[in-house]
Amino acid sequence: MNGFRMDTAGSAPPADDTSEAARALRGRRVLLVAAEGFDRLVATELLDVGAGAQVLVADDVARALPLLQAQRVDAIVLDLDGADDGGAAIVRGLQVAAAAAGCPIVAMATSGVAPPPGAPAGILACVAKPLHPAALFGALARCMPQVDGSATAAPAAIAAAPGCISFAIGIERCLGRRDLYERIALRFLAQGGASVQGIGEALDRGDRNTAKRLAHSLISTAGTLGAMPLSDGARALYAALAEGADAAEGDVGPGGEGDRLTVLAAEAARVLEALRAHLHDEGVREAADDDTRENARADTRGPGAGGRA
C-alpha cells in the first residue's frame, strides 16, 4: 500500500490542530496492538483520556484478530518497536483482516530508530515515539473519516523544572493534563532505575540484544516525561550498542558502552529525584509510595500476576 508517511515530533501538527484532531477520534473505536509496557500505557491514556476514543488493547496480532473480527474497529494503532523485521510479519498478520474491515493501520516507532527504509505494506502512517498527542491524533484523523465532537481545553503547563527534566514538555505531551502526567510519572517511579540496571546486567552477561531493547524503550519513556537529557543518553547508548554489534560480547571498556551507562545511571537518578520532588509538591507522594509497594508485591507474585499496562 502506498502513501506511507512518517510523523516525527518535529513535524507534528500545530498545537491549535490538536483539538480538531481529537474531535475526529471522540467515540471512535481504536484497536491498540502493543506489548504491555510504558508505551502502551501512554498511548492508551492519550487515546482514551485525551481524545475520548474507545480503546481496545491487544498484546499481539493473535489476540488482536478476534477483536477485529468480532466488532467494528475504526483504526488500528500498531507498535513496531521490538519487531526484528521492522514489523513486516505482524503487519501481514493484520492487513487482510484490516482491509476487509476498511480499517487503517497507523504505526508508532521510536524516532531515529524505526521504521526502516521501505515501510511494511498496509501501514498508512507512522508516528514517532515519544508520542506527541498532536502527531498521534493527526495521523489517525487523516486515515479515517472525521466525526463531530467536542474537546476540552488543556490547562496551562506547570512551572519549569530542574535541568534534567522539563515538566512543561512532559505535560504538553500529556495534552496539558497534570493528572495524566502524574499517572505516567508514578509508573516510572514504581520501576525506579530498573531499566538502566537491566541494561548493565544484560551487558555483564553479554546479552547485547536485551541491552539494546531496554535502551530503545528508555528513549521513549524518558522523552514522554520530558526528561530529554536521559532520553538523549539512552539514544546515544543504543547507537553505541548498535554500532558495536560485531564487537566482543561484554565489551564495555573506557569510552564505550560502560562509560555511557555510568552517565545514564547518574542522569536517571537525577530524574527520579526531580520526579519525587515534583509529585510531593503536587500532593501525590503517598500515591507514589503505594504504587511502588504494589509493584514490589507484583514482583514477588511472579509472571502472570500482571494488570493493565
Side-chain angles (χ1 to χ4, degrees):
M1 191 178 293
N2 296 323
F4 173 84
R5 61 177 291 166
M6 178 71 175
D7 288 311
T8 65
S11 63
D16 291 345
D17 290 346
T18 304
S19 294
E20 181 180 351
R23 282 194 294 270
L25 303 183
R26 190 170 300 279
R28 310 305 292 274
R29 189 169 291 150
V30 178
L31 173 58
L32 175 62
V33 185
E36 182 175 354
F38 192 87
D39 289 327
R40 190 171 88 177
L41 168 70
V42 172
T44 302
E45 293 286 354
L46 289 180
L47 291 168
D48 181 4
V49 178
Q54 300 177 34
V55 185
L56 306 174
V57 179
D59 292 338
D60 50 35
V61 172
R63 292 174 174 83
L65 288 176
L67 294 174
L68 186 59
Q69 294 162 355
Q71 54 195 306
R72 176 187 59 78
V73 173
D74 296 298
I76 297 171
V77 175
L78 175 64
D79 191 353
L80 290 182
D81 285 343
D84 294 334
D85 57 358
I90 56 177
V91 172
R92 283 196 298 271
L94 279 175
Q95 62 183 352
V96 174
C103 180
I105 301 175
V106 172
M108 57 183 189
T110 301
S111 176
V113 177
I123 294 179
L124 294 186
C126 186
V127 180
K129 295 191 292 185
L131 292 173
H132 191 295
L136 177 61
F137 298 167
L140 284 166
R142 285 191 298 272
C143 292
M144 62 185 185
Q146 295 189 8
V147 295
D148 293 333
S150 59
T152 56
I158 63 173
C164 64
I165 188 169
S166 168
F167 297 131
I169 290 176
I171 287 181
E172 178 190 2
R173 289 176 173 170
C174 292
L175 298 164
R177 297 181 59 112
R178 289 180 176 84
D179 59 333
L180 176 55
Y181 182 85
E182 288 166 2
R183 285 201 295 274
I184 293 171
L186 287 168
R187 172 67 176 265
F188 186 74
L189 278 176
Q191 295 173 342
S195 294
V196 177
Q197 181 180 347
I199 294 170
E201 292 172 350
L203 288 174
D204 286 343
R205 62 177 182 268
D207 185 355
R208 298 177 70 87
N209 286 334
T210 295
K212 285 170 58 181
R213 177 178 57 78
L214 292 172
H216 183 274
S217 177
L218 187 57
I219 296 170
S220 175
T221 300
T224 298
L225 289 167
M228 304 316 297
L230 180 59
S231 180
D232 292 342
R235 189 184 303 279
L237 177 59
Y238 179 92
L241 289 166
E243 292 170 0
D246 295 330
E249 290 186 349
D251 179 12
V252 292
E257 295 92 338
D259 286 350
R260 294 183 186 277
L261 184 60
T262 299
V263 172
L264 196 67
E267 188 62 34
R270 285 191 287 270
V271 170
L272 289 169
E273 181 179 357
L275 283 173
R276 291 189 186 99
H278 166 66
L279 293 176
H280 175 72
D281 291 342
E282 293 293 312
V284 295
R285 186 165 189 170
E286 182 177 352
D289 293 338
D290 289 342
D291 199 60
T292 301
R293 287 192 291 270
E294 177 58 28
N295 185 71
R297 286 195 292 270
D299 288 344
T300 62
R301 291 194 294 268
R308 178 174 177 267

